[in-house]
């Protein structure tokens, strides 16, 4: 009896060790994303105006390209493109290929005189980052809870988790850029 109990105890401990190892791998994926988000927060909190202006220009350019791509996918014409750009950028962007961020941020600075345009961009980005990060964490928890069922499909749950977590994180970053850019232009 003692031998049988010892054998069962060893099996249980091996299984628990494997589960903890798997859990650490899953947690590492989220930890890598967390480090990326915290690095982004540090930039937004402590960067100089010139660096923030460059980041704002990058995000604005990518958001403008996303608007252009959405119209192109819908087989839209130039009038449709101009209408969507006007709506998204609040009539403050003439052409998605010619963005004068300094002038735009100067307008933001005038609209919000308590801080510079670049600092206003950073404040909006931080607010949106925190909101979207909370939602992303919920989505990641839900993914982690549901991913174990992939084993029944003969799919490695960790591989599926990594793949879907990357897709969620890329969507999070794209949405952060788009929502921040949209909010910034709506202040004008």
């Amino acid at each position: 009896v003692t031998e049988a109990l010892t054998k069962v105890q060893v099996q249980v401990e091996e299984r628990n060790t494997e589960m903890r190892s798997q859990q650490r791998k899953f947690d590492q994926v989220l930890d890598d994303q967390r480090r990326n988000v915290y690095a982004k927060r540090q930039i937004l909190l402590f960067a100089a105006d010139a660096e923030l202006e460059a980041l704002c220009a990058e995000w604005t350019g990518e958001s403008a390209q996303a608007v252009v791509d959405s119209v192109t996918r819908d087989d839209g014409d130039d009038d449709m493109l101009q209408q969507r750009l006007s709506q998204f950028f609040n009539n403050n962007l003439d052409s998605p290929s010619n963005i004068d961020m300094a002038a735009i941020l100067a307008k933001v600075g005038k609209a919000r005189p308590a801080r510079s345009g670049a600092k206003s961009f950073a404040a909006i980005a931080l607010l949106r980052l925190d909101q979207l990060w909370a939602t992303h964490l919920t989505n990641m928890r839900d993914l982690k809870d549901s991913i174990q069922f992939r084993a029944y499909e003969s799919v490695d749950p960790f591989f599926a988790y990594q793949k879907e977590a990357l897709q969620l994180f890329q969507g999070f970053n794209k949405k952060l850029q788009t929502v921040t850019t949209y909010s910034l232009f709506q202040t004008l």
Side-chain angles (χ1 to χ4, degrees):
V1 172
T2 304
E3 239 178 77
L5 284 174
T6 303
K7 193 174 182 180
V8 168
Q9 182 66 31
V10 167
Q11 289 175 345
V12 168
E13 288 176 5
E14 286 174 355
R15 177 152 166 69
N16 287 342
T17 301
E18 175 61 31
M19 287 172 49
R20 282 191 300 273
S21 173
Q22 188 79 351
Q23 184 69 33
R24 279 192 296 274
K25 287 173 26 180
F26 279 79
D27 289 346
Q28 185 61 46
V29 171
L30 185 58
D31 189 55
D32 292 343
Q33 292 180 358
R34 183 178 289 114
R35 290 177 195 274
N36 183 291
V37 168
Y38 287 176
K40 216 173 264 175
R41 283 187 112 266
Q42 291 298 311
I43 290 170
L44 292 168
L45 285 169
F46 301 112
D49 282 2
E51 190 176 351
L52 290 171
E53 186 176 314
L55 184 62
C56 184
E58 177 187 334
W59 288 13
T60 300
E62 290 177 11
S63 296
Q65 188 59 50
V67 171
V68 170
D69 291 346
S70 72
V71 171
T72 304
R73 272 195 312 269
D74 296 341
D75 293 323
D77 56 15
D78 288 340
D79 291 336
M80 171 77 73
L81 175 61
Q82 211 48 46
Q83 179 186 7
R84 292 238 179 113
L85 287 171
S86 293
Q87 287 173 342
F88 188 88
F89 293 102
N90 200 18
N91 297 317
N92 288 294
L93 187 65
D94 299 327
S95 166
S97 60
N98 186 18
I99 301 171
D100 183 6
M101 261 346 283
I104 290 168
L105 289 176
K107 284 184 186 179
V108 171
K110 287 180 186 173
R112 296 174 168 229
R115 59 174 70 112
S116 69
K119 295 296 182 193
S120 291
F121 162 74
I124 292 169
L126 284 167
L127 176 68
R128 299 297 181 226
L129 177 73
D130 292 342
Q131 291 169 341
L132 293 171
W133 180 242
T135 302
H136 180 72
L137 289 175
T138 302
N139 292 341
M140 290 294 290
R141 185 195 64 224
D142 293 345
L143 174 63
K144 189 175 176 182
D145 290 345
S146 68
I147 205 74
Q148 296 304 326
F149 295 115
R150 300 294 171 86
Y152 298 122
E153 300 172 4
S154 298
V155 175
D156 178 22
F158 180 67
F159 177 74
Y161 180 78
Q162 275 185 313
K163 182 179 176 184
E164 292 184 33
L166 177 62
Q167 291 171 346
L168 281 173
F169 193 63
Q170 288 171 338
F172 160 79
N173 281 318
K174 188 171 184 71
K175 189 167 186 174
L176 173 64
Q177 292 175 354
T178 303
V179 171
T180 300
T181 301
Y182 179 79
S183 296
L184 178 73
F185 278 85
Q186 296 310 305
T187 63
L188 300 176

